[in-house]
Amino acid sequence: MLYGRLDALRDNARRNLAEVMRERGGTPQAQSERESYNAMYTAKLAKYLAAENGLCFGRIDLGEGEGEARYVGRLGMWDEDSDFDPLLLDWRAPMARPFYLATPASPEGVTRRRHIRTRGRTVTALNDEYLDPEALSDVSGTNGSATTSRGDEGGVASENALLAAMSAARTGHMVDIVATIQREQDEIIRSEHRSVLVVQGGPGTGKTAVALHRAAFLLYTYREQLERSGVLIIGPNDTFLKYISQVLPSLGETGVVLSTVGDLYPGVTASGHDSLESSAIKGSLDMVTVLKNAVRDRQELPSSPVEIEFDTYTLTIDRKLITRARGRARSSRRPHNRARDIFFATAIEGLADQYAAIVGANLIDRQSLLSRDDIADVRDEMRQDPTFRTVIGSFWPHLTPQDVLSELFSSDDRLSRAAPDLSDAERAHLVRPRAAPFTPGDAPLLDELAELLGVDGDDDDRQAQARWRAKIEEAQEALDILTGSAPQDLEDDLDPEILMAYDLIDAEQLAERQEYRQSRTTAERAAADRQWTYGHAIIDEAQELSEMAWRMVMRRVPNRWMTVVGDPAQTGSPAGASSWDAALEPYVARRWKLTELSINYRTPSEIMAVAAGVLEQISPNAVPPKSIRESGHIPWARQIPHGELTSAVAEQVTAWLREQDAGTVAVIASERLAAQFAELNSDAVSVLVVREAKGLEFDSVLLVEPEELLAESPRGLNDIYVACTRATQRLGVLHAEELPKCLSFITD
């Protein structure tokens, strides 16, 4: 009865409250609450829409005869009528792990492993692996295939399912590998290492897929911790993020932040483009000193004395007064904006003393000298005077990172003062118009400036407190409405056993509940907050991060729990890391762990033979990953007259698209040529420069004029290596110039 009575009162009060809000024209909170509920149910629905990918993809039989059978899938499901016995094991659950680890040499209690392939809700194939070879003699049926698993511990289990997945045409989105995770991948995905885990591997070894499945595993295993703090995934470009965007949702996980380094600074979109030279300069740690100098350069001294009127007297703001104020503010070691109060207070103190001295010198009666209280009043009056605030503030202005960086790069004088150690040629690479858009290389600089300026913190805290006070006031108003909605005959003589809303909750508690309901998701809040600290971060193509980019990333993951994915042989950026030691040891010393993937699941052996020749010239001691399949397509190279290159590219793309199961095609070329071929872009065709192709894969790749790629970048060999290894089926090379030495053995 108690809850029924309160529910009735609550419903009545809601109606009254709704009427009040309608009279007021509505409230943003009501809309926010509806959006919050919609988002919650949409997220739940999205998890089960993964059934279109096949919720169940495997089964393991344990024991002999009528042994236990466990079904394995993307999500867990339980039988509510049987004490919540598992109908379907989440692939991340410990009980599901034998599905990935069992081999004949170490069967993990498994007698049979079944792979189930589906299309929509239809089962299209069953593949059974008997870990006991003798059991094959008892197998019969036409609904699938039965095989024995390979006997080596490190071998590839479930070859039929794996090769079918690897040979399938690409769709423009990465698909999950949850049904075909291999032993070496599984060990990395479930690693318990709690510092930086480096996943290194050549092209096609599944580094990205492993990292994404590791994110899903960690969100499952450490749900409470990571749901509060979030997981950050950093990729090399927007195309890559779009490419991987469906993997985690297909595994039932959506609470992650996907970003490039260029978009990691909230409120700034890096739409500009850096030259190779400017990328190298901006990525260097030398920029820390340059930015410090740029901020100090804005803490100016008056070029000549400035006179200001106060109470009929003329006061003077000169270099001595501002130098003293500046020195005290700097010695506080506070960020620029937070030291501004000290600067202003010191300057006001000097002017008040100056005023007292002038007044004292003009007094005949020495007994009328200003007291301490009088001088304090003078200081207060000066602080409130807008003229004083404007004039004094001009020598130590409130700054934003965007303003400082834009003015620095648009002013030869400021850049020369801030970067005296750079040559004239180096500074020329940084100069640009003030209105120019920010570039990916600017984001770490803006982040560094935010630290130097102190743009977060005190002001944000005051605003947050003001918002919180407003929420409490609104909650109290809601409680007042609830109280007013009680039946009138109870107001004068309330039954003491009947509890009203205000007996159970006060305004602050109600505000907290509303804040919880209406708050954005963790991912949304994290993406908008520069000071947000993530519980875990996945960094793909990490070899491309500059020294300055690493500083920015490390600020967002202070616990240093990260999965770093990359391959130094594929480094294209001149600001990229030369080794993992150089990138990580300044932050985690030797607390990082290197793991390696050695099997190439994507690139067929015919193409990998070409890529191995390129790799040998990059690093003679490097060992290329071992391909596990052949495509039947031999890579070719064809020389075309200069005037026919454009038409030859279009003809080749058209020819590939006409083939059965053509899938996707990529044309990879230099900046100059990619612009010429841009009209070929379509749903099935992508025209890309190498940096845009990072981490992606296509059925067919057409590499155009590789000699121009070599000349375009100091790491041109690395770029050709990346370009060659994007293909899962076919690789062709069209060129007008001579083939570079690294590809000279390819023939038509």
Side-chain angles (χ1 to χ4, degrees):
M1 291 179 65
L2 174 64
Y3 286 102
R5 180 69 173 271
L6 284 176
D7 287 344
L9 287 174
R10 186 183 303 120
D11 291 341
N12 186 33
R14 274 185 179 164
R15 285 193 294 272
N16 291 344
L17 181 59
E19 291 173 3
V20 172
M21 290 307 176
R22 278 197 297 272
E23 291 174 3
R24 298 179 181 178
T27 170
Q29 280 193 301
Q31 177 66 21
S32 176
E33 184 171 351
R34 286 194 295 272
E35 291 175 354
S36 178
Y37 278 116
N38 287 340
M40 178 179 68
Y41 287 115
T42 299
K44 286 185 176 181
L45 179 61
K47 289 187 177 183
Y48 290 101
L49 288 177
E52 295 302 318
N53 300 319
L55 272 181
C56 178
F57 56 77
R59 165 178 160 169
I60 48 177
D61 296 341
L62 299 95
E64 299 179 358
E66 298 296 324
E68 179 185 1
R70 299 177 187 171
Y71 287 91
V72 182
R74 289 176 169 81
L75 297 173
M77 299 179 69
W78 295 267
D79 184 354
E80 296 181 7
D81 297 327
S82 303
D83 296 325
F84 288 91
D85 288 340
L87 294 173
L88 184 66
L89 287 173
D90 192 299
W91 67 276
R92 298 165 288 190
M95 291 177 65
R97 199 174 186 193
F99 181 79
Y100 299 108
L101 296 186
T103 67
S106 179
E108 305 282 337
V110 177
T111 58
R112 179 178 68 170
R113 172 170 43 213
R114 167 169 288 180
H115 291 267
I116 305 169
R117 279 187 279 165
T118 60
R119 178 170 295 172
R121 297 182 181 275
T122 302
V123 175
T124 59
L126 298 176
N127 297 105
D128 285 347
E129 296 174 271
Y130 287 82
L131 302 183
D132 178 5
E134 296 180 2
L136 276 175
S137 59
D138 300 326
V139 176
S140 63
T142 59
N143 196 26
S145 63
T147 64
T148 56
S149 180
R150 286 170 56 167
D152 55 303
E153 285 285 344
V156 179
S158 63
E159 282 190 342
N160 289 338
L162 176 65
L163 293 178
M166 292 299 98
S167 301
R170 269 45 187 176
T171 63
H173 283 284
M174 176 181 279
V175 296
D176 64 65
I177 61 167
V178 64
T180 57
I181 291 172
Q182 304 303 298
R183 189 182 185 95
E184 68 171 3
Q185 297 172 327
D186 184 79
E187 289 173 351
I188 294 172
I189 289 169
R190 300 175 194 263
S191 172
E192 296 181 358
H193 187 66
R194 289 300 295 262
S195 186
V196 178
L197 181 70
V198 177
V199 183
Q200 178 174 292
T205 53
K207 300 184 297 297
T208 298
V210 166
L212 293 174
H213 286 69
R214 176 163 169 76
F217 172 77
L218 294 176
L219 283 164
Y220 174 87
T221 307
Y222 303 96
R223 175 74 62 190
E224 184 176 352
Q225 174 185 346
L226 294 180
E227 276 196 338
R228 291 196 307 266
S229 58
V231 172
L232 171 65
I233 298 179
I234 297 177
N237 52 61
D238 290 332
T239 304
F240 173 84
L241 295 180
K242 181 180 179 182
Y243 176 63
I244 68 170
S245 62
Q246 301 303 313
V247 174
L248 286 171
S250 75
L251 300 175
E253 301 295 349
T254 56
V256 298
V257 175
L258 276 70
S259 179
T260 64
V261 167
D263 293 332
L264 200 52
Y265 188 87
V268 172
T269 300
S271 58
H273 176 58
D274 281 315
S275 66
L276 293 174
E277 294 82 2
S278 62
S279 293
I281 298 168
K282 290 179 181 181
S284 169
L285 282 180
D286 294 338
M287 286 302 297
V288 174
T289 301
V290 172
L291 297 176
K292 287 180 179 178
N293 291 342
V295 173
R296 291 173 72 89
D297 189 48
R298 302 296 296 272
Q299 301 162 0
E300 299 177 351
L301 297 174
S303 57
S304 59
V306 178
E307 294 184 345
I308 188 169
E309 296 296 324
F310 181 76
D311 193 22
T312 73
Y313 295 102
T314 299
L315 305 179
T316 302
I317 299 176
D318 57 15
R319 292 179 68 88
K320 181 179 179 181
L321 183 140
I322 296 300
T323 298
R324 179 172 178 270
R326 187 173 72 170
R328 185 172 293 182
R330 285 178 174 177
S331 64
S332 72
R333 300 194 178 279
R334 295 184 183 181
H336 172 91
N337 289 339
R338 297 181 196 170
R340 195 167 184 255
D341 288 344
I342 297 174
F343 173 84
F344 191 78
T346 305
I348 289 293
E349 179 183 306
L351 288 171
D353 290 344
Q354 189 181 136
Y355 172 80
I358 294 173
V359 171
N362 291 335
L363 288 175
I364 298 176
D365 182 3
R366 307 304 292 176
Q367 298 301 317
S368 299
L369 289 174
L370 297 178
S371 67
R372 288 184 179 179
D373 289 341
D374 293 332
I375 294 176
D377 290 340
V378 168
R379 291 193 191 112
D380 289 340
E381 190 173 346
M382 288 180 175
R383 288 191 190 97
Q384 302 302 320
D385 191 312
T387 303
F388 278 82
R389 300 192 67 84
T390 300
V391 175
I392 296 173
S394 67
F395 299 110
W396 192 289
H398 185 279
L399 300 173
T400 68
Q402 292 91 324
D403 286 341
V404 172
L405 198 64
S406 295
E407 188 162 342
L408 174 66
F409 288 159
S410 63
S411 169
D412 289 326
D413 291 340
R414 288 200 183 277
L415 190 55
S416 296
R417 291 195 295 270
D421 294 334
L422 293 181
S423 67
D424 291 342
E426 289 173 321
R427 287 196 292 269
H429 288 300
L430 299 178
V431 174
R432 67 188 186 203
R434 198 181 193 291
F438 290 110
T439 70
D442 290 334
L445 308 186
L446 291 169
D447 202 63
E448 191 73 29
L449 282 168
E451 294 291 313
L452 296 172
L453 297 176
V455 296
D456 312 298
D458 296 340
D459 291 341
D460 291 344
D461 290 344
R462 283 193 290 269
Q463 292 174 9
Q465 290 169 6
R467 288 194 297 269
W468 179 241
R469 286 194 296 270
K471 284 183 178 294
I472 292 177
E473 291 172 3
E474 190 169 331
Q476 184 61 58
E477 186 176 358
L479 285 175
D480 293 341
I481 295 172
L482 287 169
T483 303
S485 68
Q488 295 298 313
D489 60 348
L490 294 179
E491 287 187 358
D492 296 331
D493 189 19
L494 284 175
D495 186 337
E497 295 184 1
I498 297 178
L499 298 180
M500 304 300 294
Y502 50 77
D503 294 317
L504 301 176
I505 191 169
D506 60 24
E508 186 166 354
Q509 291 171 321
L510 180 57
E512 287 176 350
R513 292 188 180 186
Q514 289 291 92
E515 178 77 6
Y516 175 77
R517 275 185 175 183
Q518 298 170 12
S519 64
R520 295 166 293 172
T521 65
T522 297
E524 290 170 337
R525 287 182 288 127
D529 185 354
R530 193 192 72 84
Q531 291 186 304
W532 190 276
T533 56
Y534 294 89
H536 191 82
I538 306 285
I539 306 173
D540 209 333
E541 300 293 340
Q543 74 277 356
E544 302 295 331
L545 267 62
S546 68
E547 294 173 314
M548 291 299 294
W550 279 112
R551 283 174 68 88
M552 177 170 64
V553 170
M554 290 296 178
R555 290 190 188 105
R556 284 152 177 77
V557 197
N559 66 2
R560 304 295 190 258
W561 191 19
M562 309 165 74
T563 302
V564 172
V565 180
D567 177 14
Q570 298 184 62
T571 304
S573 170
S578 57
S579 69
W580 299 124
D581 280 338
L584 299 174
E585 288 201 8
Y587 305 100
V588 294
R590 297 299 302 172
R591 297 192 308 277
W592 60 277
K593 178 182 179 181
L594 176 66
T595 60
E596 295 192 69
L597 295 169
S598 58
I599 300 173
N600 190 326
Y601 302 102
R602 176 180 69 213
T603 314
S605 57
E606 298 94 334
I607 296 177
M608 201 59 218
V610 174
V614 181
L615 179 62
E616 185 176 6
Q617 292 200 25
I618 297 172
S619 177
N621 297 323
V623 178
K626 180 182 178 181
S627 296
I628 64 169
R629 68 184 181 91
E630 298 177 350
S631 68
H633 301 285
I634 305 300
W636 52 262
R638 188 178 307 144
Q639 189 165 18
I640 303 294
H642 283 86
E644 299 177 14
L645 193 59
T646 300
S647 59
V649 170
E651 289 172 5
Q652 183 58 54
V653 168
T654 302
W656 272 340
L657 292 177
R658 287 174 178 165
E659 294 188 21
Q660 187 177 7
D661 298 326
T664 56
V665 175
V667 177
I668 301 180
S670 65
E671 295 271 2
R672 181 184 70 86
L673 290 175
Q676 293 183 18
F677 307 141
E679 63 182 19
L680 294 174
N681 278 303
S682 67
D683 290 341
V685 180
S686 300
V687 179
L688 305 166
V689 296
V690 174
R691 70 173 183 277
E692 296 170 335
K694 291 272 184 179
L696 306 182
E697 60 183 12
F698 306 89
D699 293 278
S700 303
V701 168
L702 187 62
L703 179 58
V704 182
E705 205 63 276
E707 185 63 42
E708 196 162 316
L709 285 178
L710 277 179
E712 190 175 53
S713 168
R715 288 182 165 169
L717 276 172
N718 303 64
D719 287 347
I720 290 179
Y721 183 59
V722 170
C724 287
T725 53
R726 299 306 94 196
T728 65
Q729 300 291 341
R730 311 166 190 84
L731 172 65
V733 181
L734 287 177
H735 60 103
E737 304 293 338
E738 291 298 319
L739 272 182
K741 180 181 178 182
C742 61
L743 297 175
S744 59
F745 58 91
I746 305 179
T747 59
D748 189 352

